[in-house]
Amino acid sequence: MLTAQASPTTLRWRGPFLATSKQRRLTVNPSTLQPGRRHVIRAVISSGDSKAGVETADKAVESNGALVSSSRSGGVNVRAVIRIRKKMKEKLFDKIEDQWDSFLNGIGKGISLQLISQEPHLGKSDETFVRGWLPRISDNPYVVEYGADMVVPNDFGQPGAVVVTNFHEKEVFLMEIVVHGFKEPIFFKADTWIHSKKDNPESRIVFKNQAYLPSETPPGLKNHRQEELHRVRGDGKGERKMHERIYDYDVYNDLGNPDKYEDLARPVVGGEERPYPRRCRTGRRPSLTDPDTESRIEKPDPAYVPRDETFEEVKQNTFSAGRLKAVLHNLIPLIVSKLASSDIPFTNFSDIDNLYNDDILLPKEAKNNHLLANLLDQVLNVGDNLLKYEIPAIIRRDRFSWLRDNEFARQTLAGVNPVNIELLKELPISSKLDPETYGPPESAITRELIARELNGISVEEAMKSKKLFIIDYHDLLLPFIEKMNELPDRKAYASRTAFYFDQGILRPIVIELSLPPTSSSPRNKKIYTHGHGATSSWMWKLAKAHVCSNDAGVHQLVNHWLRTHACTEPYIIATHRQLSTMHPVYKLLHPHMRYTMEINALARQSLINGGGVIEACFSPGKYALEMSSAAYKSLWRFDREALPTDLLHRGMAVEDPTMPGGIKLVIEDYPYAADGLLIWAAIQELVESYVEHYYSEPNSISSDVELQAWWNEIKNVGHYGKRNELWWPNLNTQDDLSSILTTMIWTASGQHAAINFGQYPFGGYVPNRPTLMRKLIPQPGDSEYEKFLQNPEYTFLTSLPTQLQATKVMAVQDSLSTHSPDEEYLHQLDQIHRLSSNDPQVHKYFENFSVQLEEIERIINLRNKNVELTNRTGAGVPPYELLLPTSPPGVTGRGIPNSISI
């Protein structure tokens, strides 16, 4: 055993750890240490490619041998235990690299720690290198443990933070540091990548697991709190490097690629003309041909996001990131190479059925790509280079359900996009668009047309009893229709669809399809009803297909991408820039920010970019993000992202304080809303308790400088295009903060789950939900009309996406609908917050929340067995499970993750 130096703080290493070990020093706060008792500091560090799967259980280390005695009167012995994660890769070079890292840690050359006292006059401890292997092997085969003994003085004070420096050549992942031997353990939960000192000479600061409002920060930590916030903001200059943790804003100027092809140029989205939420700044150089456009990265790796926001891929082929990358960068190019030369439309329904019954022979390259091969084997049912899709849930029980009007209507309440139907509040229906450009504002859906479909009751009576509803995409789409229809094999209308609710059943009654006015047709609107003849029935099917195509585009580009993914990114950036990791609001929001920036960066690279999957396979084509920007400009309001407010605004509910969320549904059998209000109410109760706990003092919210800076930055920078709107909530009271936080958490969890994980179950069967249409509906006198009369099935099928387009969309939808094995769900918040907070009262709030979610799941399961709720049950009707809190991995059509992670 080595002897200790006579110094205020002494670290002593036991002989069994490493024969060549040298003495190092590590200081801790001895003021609360108890002489004669064991004091353990445990730093859990992971290096390599992933942190996922590493357990952070607090393991006792007393079995490793007795501690040495004090080296000085009043000094106390402490033990540090370090856990470092090895790489999972099997390459020889990686094994050698891991062994070298272990050696460096063993001789005290790898990771250094320095404690920071909460008392301002004491400052930092001496720097200490961790080293020495523990005799006990870690329970995790990919984790190596290290340990050290130390002696600390009695006058250091309470430790409040740790400075960590990484002297390795590569980054390491720090999980946590634990100090044992006090009245209770002191935890420093980190879960962060520590960059190499060669990449950045600045060390990292990790604060202990205790929430402090800015005004309550211990004096010794105040400067460090500000310093850490300053570091993550950066200076808005230069190109970001992948190891950095800089959170900054930029506009969407990275979607086009004019340097590659002129046709791939795209306008900047996020300026005054086309407002949009801000995205994470990467700082890449401008393109050569357009100084306003950022240059593109043409490789599988996504654009820069702060290091801790990236996916962690322990088993890359089953994780969300690896899976989606494999689809976008490997599978889809293979599909294109296989089908592009003979990209043909579906000509009969057997062609569609063959996607699920037959196999697609993929090139040999598929098996040569290890990641893709594993993806195909485990997810897409591949044997010997063969690809076959799973039968989507919507036709698994009833292959003809998509043909029926009641199913078309049911999906507006219980499908993947149940958020656009609204009460028809007034007639005549009128457009807000400029009549000089877009023609007469009055809709062709007249009172007389509606009256014919009401089975004898008057229109006034139907409206008074809240039985008429509408999905109106006219004003959003009409300004883009002319440009969209000029694209090859792309034809669309601006649509309005009226519904009638009677005897518990919702059914479509009138569809209006509009084109921009022309000199010969200033009122270019067509009306379709169900009809009873063969021709009118087929026309009706084509009209519904066009409505579904519009619905698919609005769903993907507005309700899914814009309202959840894009609008949430500024919340995440502002949270990191303005709220310390010690801030209680940061701790509350952190689980709901996981992976979102990474999936957004991947989407900008390969999904919503110029020439990407969304442009290639959805109606708006190259105008997709312009249309999304138009929706943001005219429709998006933060205050209406709250579920109860949204339902009230759409007329789908009325106020009722006795009901969950304070409202009563106009249509009781509205599965999305009914289940969503249960989730909303549970989140709201949790948040209100949490806010009241931390902001019990008068004016504590208005005087919280970090919180006010956070909200101001979200409004004025993150959502710059909406900065002058008067509807932004104030942030002065507990109710204000609770409402804001509940809305953010709901958006990232329940709302995203409801509109994301049903994409393949509903959209995987092309006729049910085509993402584009390739033909206008034939009219008498058209050259296609006679062909339509001779073979209406052929006209219908050749109007749908081609086989290549459908196959590409199905591959992406399948991936986006998949839960990864490392997913963290809403019901697990209790476990997650236990690791980051030491407040027993807060633990009780989250325990109660988990119990509530268990009850909600039971209620939803009972609802799905209630024969009176025909939107949930019946012959061939799939149960509504998108808002069930729990889910196993895979495409399940259920489960609420904490965050927008795919």
Side-chain angles (χ1 to χ4, degrees):
M1 183 180 302
L2 300 175
T3 56
Q5 291 181 348
S7 64
T9 59
T10 307
L11 171 67
R12 304 216 275 179
W13 302 92
R14 294 187 56 84
F17 295 169
L18 190 63
T20 60
S21 59
K22 297 181 181 179
Q23 168 182 297
R24 301 288 177 184
R25 294 176 296 169
L26 175 61
T27 57
V28 258
N29 168 16
S31 63
T32 54
L33 299 179
Q34 301 176 18
R37 291 193 57 186
R38 295 178 177 230
H39 299 75
V40 179
I41 294 180
R42 183 167 70 97
V44 184
I45 301 176
S46 164
S47 69
D49 294 336
S50 179
K51 69 185 178 186
V54 179
E55 298 178 357
T56 59
D58 183 21
K59 302 180 185 300
V61 296
E62 282 78 357
S63 61
N64 292 328
L67 295 175
V68 295
S69 59
S70 290
S71 62
R72 168 182 176 178
S73 176
V76 181
N77 296 294
V78 182
R79 168 161 290 177
V81 177
I82 314 299
R83 302 175 74 216
I84 295 180
R85 198 183 196 305
K86 299 186 299 182
K87 281 187 177 181
M88 287 187 162
K89 296 179 180 179
E90 298 178 354
K91 295 179 181 179
L92 177 61
F93 176 80
D94 293 321
K95 290 183 179 180
I96 295 173
E97 193 177 44
D98 287 339
Q99 291 173 358
W100 175 248
D101 289 339
S102 294
F103 174 73
L104 290 179
N105 284 324
I107 63 174
K109 296 292 184 181
I111 309 295
S112 78
L113 305 177
Q114 194 173 32
L115 287 181
I116 298 176
S117 172
Q118 294 187 165
E119 303 302 323
H121 63 283
L122 295 173
K124 300 178 182 178
S125 71
D126 292 338
E127 183 180 40
T128 302
F129 282 87
V130 301
R131 52 178 263 186
W133 289 287
L134 289 174
R136 176 169 48 81
I137 304 298
S138 168
D139 293 337
N140 191 308
Y142 299 103
V143 174
V144 176
E145 293 188 351
Y146 302 86
D149 297 335
M150 73 200 77
V151 177
V152 298
N154 284 330
D155 59 352
F156 183 75
Q158 181 83 355
V162 181
V163 176
V164 183
T165 309
N166 173 22
F167 290 90
H168 289 294
E169 291 294 307
K170 61 183 181 182
E171 62 186 355
V172 296
F173 187 79
L174 174 63
M175 297 175 63
E176 69 176 353
I177 302 169
V178 184
V179 179
H180 282 281
F182 296 84
K183 294 180 181 179
E184 58 185 19
I186 299 177
F187 292 85
F188 297 81
K189 183 71 175 174
D191 277 348
T192 183
W193 288 99
I194 307 296
H195 59 263
S196 171
K197 189 174 177 65
K198 72 178 180 62
D199 292 327
N200 182 356
E202 291 184 338
S203 300
R204 287 287 309 283
I205 300 173
V206 178
F207 297 102
K208 74 175 183 179
N209 296 2
Q210 185 166 341
Y212 293 107
L213 296 177
S215 61
E216 299 170 347
T217 309
L221 301 181
K222 285 185 176 180
N223 289 339
H224 297 291
R225 182 170 184 151
Q226 291 303 313
E227 179 185 356
E228 186 65 6
L229 283 173
H230 177 73
R231 287 179 180 180
V232 300
R233 291 172 190 157
D235 58 6
K237 300 177 182 178
E239 182 172 355
R240 298 273 64 90
K241 299 177 177 61
M242 297 307 289
H243 68 270
E244 293 180 326
R245 296 170 57 252
I246 304 299
Y247 294 81
D248 204 355
Y249 300 94
D250 208 343
V251 295
Y252 279 69
N253 62 351
D254 61 338
L255 302 179
N257 192 356
D259 290 349
K260 187 174 184 179
Y261 299 115
E262 182 179 350
D263 192 52
L264 290 180
R266 296 292 181 270
V268 173
V269 178
E272 295 291 346
E273 183 180 354
R274 300 179 183 88
Y276 216 60
R278 292 294 193 257
R279 55 135 177 135
C280 179
R281 179 184 178 275
T282 66
R284 293 199 303 270
R285 62 171 179 80
S287 65
L288 299 176
T289 54
D290 181 3
D292 293 329
T293 297
E294 190 173 86
S295 56
R296 296 280 299 169
I297 295 179
E298 294 299 329
K299 58 183 181 179
D301 294 332
Y304 164 83
V305 294
R307 185 64 181 95
D308 289 342
E309 306 301 322
T310 59
F311 287 100
E312 305 303 338
E313 301 171 341
V314 172
K315 296 181 180 177
Q316 197 175 32
N317 56 307
T318 56
F319 266 38
S320 299
R323 189 175 190 282
L324 188 58
K325 287 178 183 177
V327 167
L328 294 174
H329 300 290
N330 296 287
L331 178 58
I332 285 181
L334 289 173
I335 292 173
V336 171
S337 66
K338 178 66 180 176
L339 297 178
S341 60
S342 59
D343 185 21
I344 57 176
F346 296 106
T347 57
N348 56 69
F349 283 97
S350 296
D351 292 340
I352 300 174
D353 293 340
N354 288 339
L355 291 174
Y356 319 105
N357 299 329
D358 295 340
D359 299 315
I360 299 174
L361 182 64
L362 292 178
K364 292 182 179 179
E365 298 92 292
K367 281 295 180 180
N368 294 334
N369 183 306
H370 179 70
L371 172 61
L372 180 58
N374 280 319
L375 166 72
L376 299 177
D377 287 336
Q378 297 186 27
V379 181
L380 298 176
N381 292 334
V382 175
D384 301 333
N385 293 330
L386 299 177
L387 166 65
K388 183 168 67 176
Y389 288 97
E390 289 284 351
I391 298 175
I394 192 61
I395 62 165
R396 191 180 303 142
R397 296 179 178 219
D398 182 355
R399 62 180 300 189
F400 301 111
S401 62
W402 67 275
L403 283 166
R404 294 193 297 271
D405 285 356
N406 64 338
E407 178 60 25
F408 174 87
R410 189 189 75 84
Q411 290 183 32
T412 68
L413 301 171
V416 70
N417 189 41
V419 298
N420 283 110
I421 187 169
E422 56 186 314
L423 187 71
L424 182 58
K425 299 175 182 177
E426 60 182 26
L427 285 171
I429 303 166
S430 185
S431 170
K432 294 184 174 68
L433 297 175
D434 181 5
E436 294 293 325
T437 303
Y438 299 104
E442 296 81 15
S443 169
I445 299 178
T446 62
R447 185 181 301 268
E448 293 72 26
L449 275 172
I450 293 174
R452 297 175 195 170
E453 305 292 332
L454 299 188
N455 299 328
I457 74 168
S458 68
V459 173
E460 288 72 18
E461 183 181 352
M463 294 183 69
K464 183 178 180 180
S465 56
K466 294 181 168 47
K467 291 182 178 295
L468 289 176
F469 300 86
I470 190 170
I471 293 181
D472 191 344
Y473 295 142
H474 179 276
D475 285 10
L476 175 62
L477 294 180
L478 191 61
F480 297 93
I481 292 298
E482 185 174 2
K483 295 186 291 186
M484 288 164 53
N485 288 347
E486 291 174 353
L487 299 173
D489 291 328
R490 204 73 59 101
K491 299 299 178 184
Y493 302 91
S495 62
R496 290 186 177 106
T497 309
F499 299 84
Y500 177 50
F501 182 71
D502 185 37
Q503 298 180 349
I505 300 296
L506 185 71
R507 62 183 177 89
I509 54 175
V510 183
I511 293 174
E512 175 193 78
L513 299 179
S514 300
L515 294 171
T518 64
S519 57
S520 60
S521 182
R523 187 177 176 83
N524 208 351
K525 305 175 188 296
K526 299 290 184 182
I527 289 294
Y528 298 89
T529 57
H530 180 74
H532 300 286
T535 301
S536 59
S537 292
W538 272 106
M539 288 285 195
W540 178 246
K541 291 181 180 65
L542 284 167
K544 288 195 299 180
H546 274 279
V547 171
C548 287
S549 173
N550 286 345
D551 194 70
V554 173
H555 162 258
Q556 194 66 262
L557 292 162
V558 179
N559 299 325
H560 180 209
W561 168 255
L562 169 64
R563 292 177 60 190
T564 62
H565 285 260
C567 286
T568 296
E569 186 155 345
Y571 311 154
I572 298 172
I573 298 174
T575 298
H576 284 282
R577 286 171 53 88
Q578 300 299 339
L579 300 182
S580 167
T581 56
M582 290 190 286
H583 200 290
V585 171
Y586 178 96
K587 291 182 179 295
L588 178 67
L589 290 179
H590 190 256
H592 307 290
M593 304 187 296
R594 183 177 185 245
Y595 290 169
T596 303
M597 293 180 70
E598 170 85 349
I599 196 65
N600 286 2
L602 187 59
R604 294 198 309 274
Q605 186 184 353
S606 301
L607 280 175
I608 63 171
N609 61 300
V613 174
I614 300 300
E615 286 194 0
C617 301
F618 284 77
S619 287
K622 64 189 294 184
Y623 307 104
L625 260 289
E626 292 184 63
M627 188 270 280
S628 188
S629 170
Y632 178 71
K633 183 176 183 178
S634 63
L635 300 175
W636 187 84
R637 292 177 48 157
F638 179 86
D639 58 332
R640 290 181 184 166
E641 294 304 292
L643 178 60
T645 307
D646 171 61
L647 293 170
L648 289 170
H649 170 71
R650 290 191 283 124
M652 300 304 293
V654 294
E655 293 185 358
D656 185 341
T658 67
M659 302 296 289
I663 62 175
K664 180 180 179 181
L665 296 177
V666 170
I667 299 178
E668 181 184 356
D669 188 13
Y670 186 0
Y672 157 76
D675 295 356
L677 286 171
L678 296 177
I679 301 294
W680 170 274
I683 295 173
Q684 184 179 45
E685 180 179 332
L686 169 67
V687 171
E688 287 176 348
S689 299
Y690 190 91
V691 168
E692 184 178 5
H693 179 70
Y694 284 106
Y695 290 97
S696 58
E697 297 298 322
N699 302 320
S700 55
I701 290 177
S702 58
S703 63
D704 186 332
V705 293
E706 288 184 7
L707 190 68
Q708 294 299 326
W710 168 78
W711 186 233
N712 285 332
E713 186 167 288
I714 287 172
K715 295 185 297 182
N716 297 316
V717 183
H719 283 274
Y720 179 81
K722 296 285 189 175
R723 66 193 181 282
N724 296 321
E725 299 290 351
L726 300 179
W727 43 252
W728 283 104
N730 294 318
L731 182 51
N732 297 314
T733 67
Q734 289 183 358
D735 287 345
D736 294 340
L737 180 57
S738 296
S739 175
I740 290 167
L741 295 176
T742 301
T743 298
M744 290 180 175
I745 294 172
W746 159 255
T747 300
S749 57
Q751 179 68 12
H752 180 259
I755 60 178
N756 179 74
F757 292 104
Q759 289 192 73
Y760 187 79
F762 286 97
Y765 187 68
V766 183
N768 182 66
R769 195 168 177 77
T771 56
L772 61 80
M773 295 294 282
R774 300 169 61 239
K775 297 179 180 180
L776 297 176
I777 298 177
Q779 301 298 324
D782 295 346
S783 59
E784 292 292 317
Y785 189 72
E786 285 302 319
K787 296 179 182 178
F788 162 68
L789 294 178
Q790 294 297 320
N791 192 343
E793 179 182 320
Y794 179 87
T795 297
F796 179 87
L797 290 171
T798 55
S799 298
L800 301 179
T802 66
Q803 294 190 32
L804 174 60
Q805 289 169 329
T807 307
K808 288 166 66 176
V809 168
M810 289 165 67
V812 172
Q813 287 178 332
D814 179 83
S815 186
L816 294 178
S817 302
T818 298
H819 292 290
S820 66
D822 76 325
E823 191 61 86
E824 294 179 354
Y825 295 93
L826 203 57
H827 71 282
Q828 297 172 314
L829 280 176
D830 176 33
Q831 307 164 35
I832 294 168
H833 279 275
R834 279 186 176 277
L835 297 175
S836 62
S837 173
N838 64 352
D839 191 322
Q841 186 60 51
V842 171
H843 294 171
K844 290 182 181 179
Y845 298 148
F846 285 98
E847 286 175 1
N848 180 62
F849 180 69
S850 294
V851 171
Q852 284 183 283
L853 290 186
E854 290 178 7
E855 176 63 12
I856 289 171
E857 185 149 330
R858 186 189 69 82
I859 292 172
I860 293 174
N861 285 328
L862 288 175
R863 287 174 173 175
N864 286 333
K865 296 177 181 177
N866 185 343
V867 296
E868 295 182 359
L869 301 178
T870 56
N871 289 324
R872 296 176 178 270
T873 185
V877 177
Y880 186 77
E881 297 181 329
L882 287 170
L883 286 169
L884 280 174
T886 65
S887 175
V891 180
T892 63
R894 59 177 290 173
I896 305 177
N898 290 322
S899 61
I900 302 167
S901 57
I902 186 62

